[in-house]
Structures are given as structure tokens and as C-alpha cells.
Amino acid sequence: MTSNGRVVLIVCTAIAGMTGLVAAAPSLYNTFCRVTGFDGTTQRADAGSDRVLDRKVTVRFDGTVAPGLPWSFKPEQVSQTLHVGETAMAYFAATNSSDTPVVGTATFNVQPAKAGLYFMKVQCFCFTEQRLEPGQSVSMPVTYFIDPSIADDDNLDDVREITLSYTFYRNEDAEAKLVASGD
């Protein structure tokens, strides 16, 4: 192989490697965020906490929709104050204001971001896509708690308030599958 051939092979291998990294980046980033709570990513729990502390935290709620989604979406309560470790349930209201079925997917985070590792969701509408029929209104629950191990993290001693935010986006891929299946 000539020197030029080796250079071409190295460049093509590097391009293929970079393309593979770009393709894998979203799932690697999502895994990283779920494991570390980075950027306010909340955690999933199979059940509520077995320990409740005296410390209280106020959880505020926020809900928005992205452009292109013909829904209204908002929390049904402004806030809840609960003990760390106590399981709570909050509700969000959504209405499809269009004349066709629309599928939405929610993204979420908490602020301050450093609390993400300790914000545990047991059940949430955000775990699956949501389909709303024309004019349909629904009340969607989220069951959550603040992990008692937050008390062991000195960097979170100042956290007395956490904001849980959701943004719904239109899921056009899911809508295309509905049209293809005839639903």
C-alpha cells in the first residue's frame, strides 16, 4: 500500500469512527444524565421511600408546550410541600385544541439542577408518549418523592425548593405510525 493509500485509509477510518460516535451520542448522553442526575435529570424508582425525614421541601410545578403542538398543558397545582422521603402525587392538565389526534412526548428536568439526582419518580405520564383525541382533555399524574439521601449531601443543604418542569413536544413519528396503522 502506498503512503497516500494509508492516509486515505486512516482518514476514512477516522470519519467512520466519528460518525459512529455522533450516532451513539444521544443515547450515551441520556444514560449519563439518568445515572448522574446531570442538568436536572430526574431519577426513576420502583417504589416510594422507606424513610421519611423531618426536613421539608417545596416542589413547584411548570408546564409548557413546544411550538407546533396544538395543546394547552399546565400543572393543576402551583406547588406542594412535603417531607423528604414522603411520596406525593401531582397532576398536570392537557387539552388537544386541534381537530385531529395528536401524540406528544414530554421532556423534564428539575431546578436547581443539582437536585436531579435526588428527585425520584415512581410513576409519570412522561415515561410514555401521550395521545390526545381532538378536543380531548386529560389529567395526567406524576408520583414522586425526594430521596432521603439528599440529607447526606452537604452541597444540597440549601435546597428548600425544587421546580419540576415539563415541556411537551409533538411526536410526529408516532403520529405517522398511527396514520399508517389506520388508528
Side-chain angles (χ1 to χ4, degrees), residues 87-103:
T87 300
M89 184 178 287
Y91 292 90
F92 287 76
T95 300
N96 177 359
S97 57
S98 77
D99 58 357
T100 61
V102 177
V103 178

Side-chain angles (χ1 to χ4, degrees), residues 20-100:
L21 286 174
V22 167
S27 62
L28 291 173
Y29 180 75
N30 286 338
T31 301
F32 172 76
C33 290
R34 277 194 313 272
V35 169
T36 64
F38 179 74
D39 204 22
T41 301
T42 62
Q43 307 299 300
R44 284 178 92 161
D46 294 328
S49 175
D50 57 357
R51 188 168 61 123
V52 177
L53 307 179
D54 287 335
R55 178 177 170 184
K56 289 187 176 184
V57 173
T58 298
V59 178
R60 299 200 178 283
F61 303 100
D62 179 53
T64 60
V65 294
L69 181 66
W71 287 9
S72 65
F73 174 69
K74 63 181 182 179
E76 294 184 12
Q77 61 286 298
V78 173
S79 66
Q80 293 176 333
T81 300
L82 62 149
H83 291 274
V84 170
E86 177 184 358
T87 300
M89 184 178 287
Y91 292 90
F92 287 76
T95 300
N96 177 359
S97 57
S98 77
D99 58 357
T100 61

Side-chain angles (χ1 to χ4, degrees), residues 11 14 37 46 54 56 59 66 70 90 95 97 99 111 121 125 127 130 151 153 160 171 174 179:
V11 168
D46 294 328
D54 287 335
K56 289 187 176 184
V59 178
T95 300
S97 57
D99 58 357
Q111 290 297 324
K121 292 182 187 172
F125 60 88
F127 294 162
Q130 301 296 317
D153 189 335
R160 299 283 177 248
N171 188 327
V179 169

Side-chain angles (χ1 to χ4, degrees), residues 107-138:
T107 61
F108 49 86
N109 70 4
V110 296
Q111 290 297 324
K114 64 184 179 178
L117 188 59
Y118 302 98
F119 197 99
M120 311 299 285
K121 292 182 187 172
V122 179
Q123 293 180 333
C124 183
F125 60 88
C126 61
F127 294 162
T128 59
E129 60 194 28
Q130 301 296 317
R131 175 183 173 169
L132 296 183
E133 297 299 322
Q136 181 182 9
S137 293
V138 296

Side-chain angles (χ1 to χ4, degrees), residues 150-164:
I150 194 172
D152 301 328
D153 189 335
D154 294 339
N155 293 324
L156 284 108
D157 285 347
D158 63 332
V159 174
R160 299 283 177 248
E161 186 174 288
I162 298 172
T163 301
L164 174 61

